[in-house]
Amino acid sequence: MRCEEFRKELEIQFGTVKLGAAKKEHLAGCPECAEFYQQLQILEEKILVAEKPVMTADEFARMQLGLDEEISRYQSRGNRFFRFSFRYGATFAAAALLILLAYFGRLPGHNINEIYNTGNTSSGISIDSAINEIFAVINDSDSQSDTVSVQAIDDPYVKMVIGNYAESYGIGADEALLGGLSDEEMNYLKSKLKAGDIL
Amino acid sequence: MESNDRELVIRAQSGDRTAFDQLVKFNKDKMFALTYRMTGDRETALDLVQDTFMAAFRELQSFRAEADFSSWLYRIASNKTLNFLKRRKIMSFIPLGGKNMPEPAYEMPDSITASEMNRRLTKAVAALPPKQKLIFNLRFFEQLPFGEIAQILKKGESTVKTNYQKAVEKLRESLKDLR
Ligand SMILES: [Zn+2]
């Protein structure tokens, strides 16, 4: 083995040099390489006195706390997204219903006035209970943190209210509310909308 | 993979948080030693270790058991550290204790003190290019086989060896007079 090659080999094995017969033979017959090898050994000894960095107990505790927080945030991200959107959905639904009631209430001769006054809808349920029904659906979704199961709003009047709202105000502004609707209700809404509307 | 780690990884993959915490506990010092030697700053090193474990937590399902878990962690930590060094060129160093520093056998007129030698050594390692420094740390301090380092860095084994040899050559050159 040529000297240059031999020294590179020693450098590659720096820290773990094992002198086999061939290496010992070269070192014995080559003072330059022997000197080189000795230098490497000294360098190794000097670097080896470096202390291994270790986390202190306090540092580990801090790191663990940070990691815990990050993992919690990561794990709740999906759940929080749904809670967030449904919370806004609930607010929106309330606003939408108030607007609707005000709107229909102002229309002369509209039977909603009578309905409202009597407290009953055309399908025989009270407006209060219709509102409650919508809120029950939305709040139900809110409380179920990791699933989005929404029971169908199976009342024609409620469907009509949402449908009329969609017709009057456009549906695109309201994805949070729509997110709380079942496929059936969604199809109902779609059927009420004209081509070219958002959905 | 150490059988202990293997079992813990399987449990952690199925959602056992205690098992994941154990993996963190068993591997934290290895990751800290590397990130600290690479960056020279304890807080930065802690952040990088935390980032490493967080990434491992997120990607746990993608970990395949044929590799060592610690190799996988080293890979994440290495990438994060190299990225960090790329983003911010900061000086890194090997912390030297100097407790067992051998006294010079004899006084020479131009002999240097132990602390001066530590400083020089520190500076020399810090001055290595990031990839050579990483390979030097993984090989010399963490004592990983070249094959494993090659897998960690997704490089050929001969490339890793060449980089290590270059790193040693640079250290030797810059510390020539430290004898
Ligand atoms: Zn020779």
Side-chain angles (χ1 to χ4, degrees):
Chain A
M1 200 182 264
R2 291 186 299 117
C3 292
E4 197 190 340
E5 223 179 301
F6 179 73
R7 290 179 198 180
K8 275 194 176 174
E9 191 57 34
L10 289 178
E11 283 177 331
I12 286 172
Q13 293 183 5
F14 182 68
T16 55
V17 180
K18 286 193 183 87
L19 290 181
K23 285 200 181 78
K24 277 181 183 160
E25 197 187 317
H26 187 122
L27 286 174
C30 180
E32 288 86 359
C33 282
E35 164 73 9
F36 182 88
Y37 176 59
Q38 205 194 354
Q39 280 179 27
L40 275 184
Q41 279 187 307
I42 292 168
L43 182 64
E44 188 181 322
E45 275 166 30
K46 291 189 189 233
I47 299 180
L48 274 177
V49 301
E51 278 179 302
K52 189 181 168 80
V54 177
M55 266 190 212
T56 64
D58 171 62
E59 284 169 337
F60 180 47
R62 270 196 293 134
M63 197 274 287
Q64 231 175 0
L65 196 68
L67 188 61
D68 279 350
E69 282 170 5
E70 232 183 313
I71 287 175
S72 301
R73 269 202 304 278
Y74 173 72
Q75 286 179 325
S76 68
R77 195 176 299 156
N79 299 342
R80 279 197 313 164
F81 172 75
F82 287 121
R83 280 200 289 276
F84 183 80
S85 56
F86 280 108
R87 195 159 296 136
Y88 276 77
T91 309
F92 184 83
L97 278 171
L98 287 173
I99 291 165
L100 269 167
L101 291 173
Y103 175 73
F104 284 118
R106 274 202 314 274
L107 290 176
H110 198 288
N111 66 357
I112 196 105
N113 269 326
E114 285 171 47
I115 294 165
Y116 189 70
N117 288 338
T118 61
N120 287 309
T121 66
S122 55
S123 64
I125 63 163
S126 71
I127 288 176
D128 280 348
S129 66
I131 292 171
N132 286 338
E133 192 167 348
I134 291 182
F135 272 95
V137 170
I138 292 165
N139 289 332
D140 191 45
S141 307
D142 191 22
S143 64
Q144 289 176 4
S145 55
D146 51 1
T147 55
V148 194
S149 73
V150 178
Q151 63 203 43
I153 302 171
D154 200 20
D155 179 78
Y157 174 73
V158 174
K159 288 180 181 176
M160 184 199 76
V161 167
I162 296 171
N164 283 341
Y165 172 81
E167 271 182 348
S168 307
Y169 294 92
I171 207 153
D174 178 20
E175 284 181 67
L177 175 62
L178 293 178
L181 299 180
S182 67
D183 286 351
E184 196 190 343
E185 288 158 351
M186 201 60 150
N187 287 335
Y188 176 84
L189 277 185
K190 280 180 183 171
S191 72
K192 299 284 282 184
L193 291 168
K194 295 181 202 82
D197 281 330
I198 301 169
L199 289 193
Chain B
M1 175 161 39
E2 287 167 37
S3 58
N4 209 0
D5 270 10
R6 191 188 297 274
E7 204 186 297
L8 287 170
V9 167
I10 291 166
R11 279 170 50 201
Q13 281 178 327
S14 63
D16 183 341
R17 184 56 209 282
T18 322
F20 182 77
D21 288 345
Q22 286 293 307
L23 286 167
V24 171
K25 211 173 160 188
F26 291 161
N27 289 283
K28 70 178 166 67
D29 285 330
K30 285 180 187 173
M31 298 308 130
F32 183 70
L34 178 68
T35 56
Y36 181 45
R37 282 181 172 129
M38 288 296 290
T39 63
D41 180 70
R42 296 191 79 90
E43 289 305 314
T44 303
L46 281 175
D47 284 349
L48 287 168
V49 174
Q50 188 180 321
D51 284 357
T52 298
F53 284 122
M54 188 58 215
F57 184 84
R58 276 199 309 266
E59 305 300 325
L60 204 54
Q61 298 306 327
S62 72
F63 172 72
R64 297 280 165 266
E66 57 260 31
D68 264 13
F69 187 68
S70 63
S71 285
W72 189 59
L73 287 177
Y74 271 131
R75 175 164 174 70
I76 300 173
S78 296
N79 285 332
K80 290 202 175 290
T81 307
L82 286 179
N83 284 338
F84 173 82
L85 292 177
K86 239 184 263 172
R87 282 200 310 274
R88 284 179 52 192
K89 287 186 177 177
I90 64 164
M91 291 298 282
S92 66
F93 66 96
I94 302 175
L96 292 168
K99 280 179 195 161
N100 309 315
M101 190 63 67
E103 287 298 311
Y106 50 88
E107 289 289 321
M108 295 192 299
D110 60 346
S111 77
I112 55 170
T113 63
S115 65
E116 168 66 5
M117 203 200 70
N118 281 354
R119 203 184 59 78
R120 292 275 307 277
L121 201 48
T122 291
K123 241 177 120 179
V125 178
L128 292 173
K131 269 180 197 160
Q132 283 182 20
K133 184 161 54 176
L134 179 62
I135 289 169
F136 183 79
N137 274 306
L138 289 173
R139 176 69 185 143
F140 188 83
F141 290 112
E142 305 307 317
Q143 298 184 351
L144 300 186
F146 282 120
E148 193 176 338
I149 299 171
Q151 280 185 337
I152 289 171
L153 302 179
K154 303 272 185 228
K155 300 237 182 277
E157 196 171 322
S158 59
T159 308
V160 173
K161 279 185 180 172
T162 306
N163 269 283
Y164 184 73
Q165 183 264 319
K166 296 263 179 238
V168 173
E169 188 179 281
K170 278 185 189 144
L171 288 179
R172 197 173 47 72
E173 283 299 317
S174 53
L175 299 170
K176 231 175 189 170
D177 55 340
L178 279 193
R179 283 183 297 119

